[in-house]
Amino acid sequence: MSAAVLPPRRRWGLRVRLIAVVLTVAALALIAVDVIVPLNVRAALISDRDKGLASVVQKLPATINSSSLTELTKNNPLRSEVGWTVVTRSGTAQVIVQPPRDPIGTPDFGNPPPVGVARTVGDVSGSSARYRILAVVIFDPSNSPVYLVAWSDLDEVTATLSQLVFLEFLITVGLLILLGLVASLIIRRELRPLEAMATAADEIAGGELERRVAPGDPSTEIGRLGTAFNGMLDGINGLLDEQQRNEARLRQFVADASHELRTPVAAVQGYSELYRAGMLPDEASVAKAMNRMGFEARRMGGLVEDLLTLIKADAEKAREHELVDLAQLLVGVVDDAAVIDGSRTWRLVGATRMTNVVGDRLRLHQLFANLLSNVRTHTPAGTTATVSLLPGHDEIAVSITDDGPGVAPEALPRLFDRFFREDESRSRENGGSGLGLSIVAAIVRSHSGRILAANARGGGLTMTVVLPRPVGTAAVTGLATGAPVGVNTGPIDLSALAFSAAAPSGGGLPSPGGQMSVVSRSARPDDALNTPET
């Protein structure tokens, strides 16, 4: 048989436990007081009683009889509370003076009674009465002493202690009740923010993600907890919003990629179906179909390659150990653009000094090559493109400005979206896959930089890439070559970079060295790659 499963033990709530702790501590303290105070009071009362007995014993008259002993106690503080009894060696006791307050008292003195020291004894009858006695030897013929005992009952002490204990009990109970009520009110008030947090947590779990709590005084623990609770909720909401945006971007990306791939796949499938159905009767038709199928296959392959490049650019991080001379890299990129397309003028400004960044040389080359390819794709022949390099104190800016048709203002925020095309003129055949600038943005992010897009003054588009300068060991390594480094003393003025498009033929933005390399469409590629112009 399986053992019965016991229900989980129900634990008290925090408020009940706090009240219980407060009451327990207070009760222990009060009980300790209730015990210590009566003991001290009893000891004080008995000490006073002993002093009274000792004073009358020390003043015993020469003639001991009832009259003299009664007269002796007249001026004593105990007065009528002292009795006198003679006790023989055999234990026979004879009362000489019976105290008026206890006319029937019969203390049990013992045989023999204690001499010289006060003691507490009971009653001969066995009742609860208690007495304080003090004995002296008054006659000792042939070792048969006779004792005179002064005694006093303790009924008054007992009554006083009883009243004290009763009052302490009432006070203790009242204080515990009052303390319980006050502690309950205070603890309930102080724990109300915690209850509000618990309620808010339940409501948040139910879907109210905008729910917050009043943090209270931030100098208290609960106030700090409330502030941290709200901060945690804000962080969670931010993460959820970011997750939703990422999911939306992922769904859009998958939908766009599917849409882009569907067209070439459908074209290839359609031409193959025509060939299978015998709808291509002559070799010219077959050749045309094969050319179109080849074009669509190449376009589909290019799209897949762009997707793979974008995924790699998103995942990669710049190799921190590689130091790249950005000026030298830009010279190569501009030279390549001039070789590829001689119908446009390519201008390079500010690349006369070594300007180092830390990153992946191949990815950085791809970054600026894509930006110049974007100029070739989306601007007409005869356009002038200016590449400006402007080093700053902590960052380096590279601006690519053209004097082409530019971009509509409403399209600027979406330039770096995947598969985005501004208009029909930027078709799939002439405008690429729509992933070029997305790849550029991903490479910039992997190098901890940023990219800006704006319409240039006087027409055209300006793309500005801002990359961080190397710091630490990388910066020292870059300076160890002894080559001059172009560094401005202040921050980068991006408005000056955008202004370079306003006068594309007027020398562009002045570089630190005042030199500019120009490659024009009229020059031969092998002669014009490094033609200086002052």
Side-chain angles (χ1 to χ4, degrees):
M1 295 178 62
S2 60
V5 179
L6 297 177
R9 183 180 179 182
R10 184 177 180 181
R11 300 188 62 184
W12 290 354
L14 178 60
R15 182 175 62 194
V16 176
R17 281 183 285 172
L18 288 176
I19 295 175
V21 169
V22 171
L23 291 180
T24 300
V25 174
L28 292 176
L30 291 174
I31 289 174
V33 172
D34 293 345
V35 172
I36 294 174
V37 169
L39 290 177
N40 289 334
V41 171
R42 182 179 183 277
L45 293 176
I46 290 179
S47 177
D48 289 342
R49 189 62 53 95
D50 292 345
K51 290 179 181 179
L53 293 176
S55 66
V56 296
V57 169
Q58 291 174 359
K59 298 177 182 180
L60 285 174
T63 303
I64 298 176
N65 53 44
S66 60
S67 298
S68 62
L69 295 176
T70 302
E71 186 67 22
L72 177 64
T73 59
K74 279 185 177 180
N75 297 325
N76 192 277
L78 297 180
R79 292 183 178 87
S80 60
E81 296 181 10
V82 178
W84 296 92
T85 302
V86 175
V87 181
T88 64
R89 184 175 184 278
S90 62
T92 303
Q94 180 180 1
V95 178
I96 298 177
V97 176
Q98 191 78 31
R101 291 189 180 182
D102 187 14
I104 59 172
T106 55
D108 184 7
F109 300 107
N111 189 21
V115 178
V117 180
R119 291 286 186 272
T120 300
V121 298
D123 192 85
V124 174
S125 64
S127 66
S128 61
R130 288 292 183 269
Y131 302 90
R132 195 70 175 171
I133 65 173
L134 180 61
V136 294
V137 178
I138 59 174
F139 185 68
D140 189 10
S142 64
N143 294 327
S144 298
V146 177
Y147 304 95
L148 178 63
V149 182
W151 53 275
S152 175
D153 68 89
L154 299 178
D155 291 343
E156 185 177 355
V157 174
T158 302
T160 300
L161 292 177
S162 299
Q163 292 178 359
L164 177 61
V165 170
F166 180 71
L167 288 176
E168 286 183 335
F169 174 76
L170 293 180
I171 293 173
T172 298
V173 173
L175 285 177
L176 289 177
I177 294 175
L178 179 61
L179 181 62
L181 293 176
V182 174
S184 176
L185 292 175
I186 294 176
I187 292 174
R188 180 188 295 273
R189 185 188 65 185
E190 295 298 325
L191 294 183
R192 191 172 296 134
L194 292 180
E195 296 177 355
M197 293 179 198
T199 303
D202 293 337
E203 294 176 355
I204 291 169
E208 297 184 19
L209 300 181
E210 300 301 324
R211 181 73 163 83
R212 294 295 182 271
V213 298
D217 187 0
S219 63
T220 64
E221 291 80 1
I222 295 181
R224 291 197 300 269
L225 178 61
T227 302
F229 183 78
N230 287 339
M232 178 190 68
L233 293 179
D234 293 337
I236 292 175
N237 275 354
L239 292 176
L240 291 176
D241 293 341
E242 181 64 23
Q243 181 181 4
Q244 292 176 356
R245 288 193 295 268
N246 290 337
E247 290 177 354
R249 284 196 296 264
L250 179 60
R251 287 193 294 268
Q252 185 63 39
F253 177 73
V254 172
D256 292 340
S258 301
H259 177 73
E260 293 291 334
L261 289 172
R262 182 175 58 186
T263 301
V265 169
V268 172
Q269 184 179 5
Y271 283 114
S272 63
E273 291 293 338
L274 288 176
Y275 179 77
R276 185 181 299 124
M279 301 294 292
L280 303 175
D282 51 21
E283 293 184 1
S285 299
V286 173
K288 181 179 179 180
M290 295 302 294
N291 286 335
R292 295 303 303 171
M293 290 173 64
F295 172 78
E296 295 295 345
R298 287 191 301 274
R299 190 160 68 87
M300 184 166 51
L303 178 61
V304 172
E305 184 66 26
D306 285 344
L307 290 174
L308 292 176
T309 302
L310 182 59
I311 293 172
K312 290 176 64 178
D314 278 335
E316 288 178 351
K317 293 295 181 182
R319 294 178 292 177
E320 296 183 359
H321 63 273
E322 186 174 2
L323 202 61
V324 181
D325 181 3
L326 201 58
Q328 182 183 7
L329 184 142
L330 290 175
V331 170
V333 172
V334 174
D335 289 348
D336 292 344
V339 171
I340 294 171
D341 183 7
S343 64
R344 292 169 177 80
T345 300
W346 305 95
R347 299 152 55 91
L348 180 58
V349 178
T352 58
R353 294 184 180 181
M354 179 184 294
T355 307
N356 290 331
V357 295
V358 175
D360 187 334
R361 185 183 302 275
L362 295 179
R363 289 297 181 200
L364 290 173
H365 187 281
Q366 182 183 14
L367 160 65
F368 296 109
N370 276 12
L371 290 176
L372 296 186
S373 176
N374 190 68
V375 174
R376 291 197 307 271
T377 304
H378 303 304
T379 61
T383 298
T384 298
T386 302
V387 180
S388 303
L389 175 63
L390 182 60
H393 188 270
D394 299 319
E395 295 176 322
I396 300 172
V398 179
S399 176
I400 293 92
T401 302
D402 63 70
D403 57 357
V407 177
E410 61 272 11
L412 284 175
R414 298 191 58 198
L415 277 183
F416 302 101
D417 292 349
R418 296 168 184 180
F419 300 107
F420 173 73
R421 296 183 183 86
E422 182 190 6
D423 52 37
E424 294 299 328
S425 65
R426 300 187 177 190
S427 63
R428 293 184 179 90
E429 295 185 6
N430 299 322
S433 62
L435 293 175
L437 293 182
S438 299
I439 295 173
V440 166
I443 295 174
V444 172
R445 284 194 303 270
S446 69
H447 286 75
S448 302
R450 61 189 188 276
I451 184 168
L452 312 171
N455 284 321
R457 300 177 186 177
L461 181 67
T462 296
M463 294 279 191
T464 304
V465 177
V466 182
L467 299 174
R469 274 191 172 276
V471 295
T473 305
V476 174
T477 303
L479 293 173
T481 60
V485 180
V487 179
N488 289 345
T489 58
I492 297 172
D493 185 4
L494 297 181
S495 63
L497 291 175
F499 181 71
S500 64
S505 61
L509 183 71
S511 66
Q515 294 185 351
M516 176 178 62
S517 175
V518 179
V519 180
S520 67
R521 61 180 179 273
S522 60
R524 298 196 312 273
D526 55 348
D527 295 331
L529 295 182
N530 295 301
T531 303
E533 180 177 314
T534 302

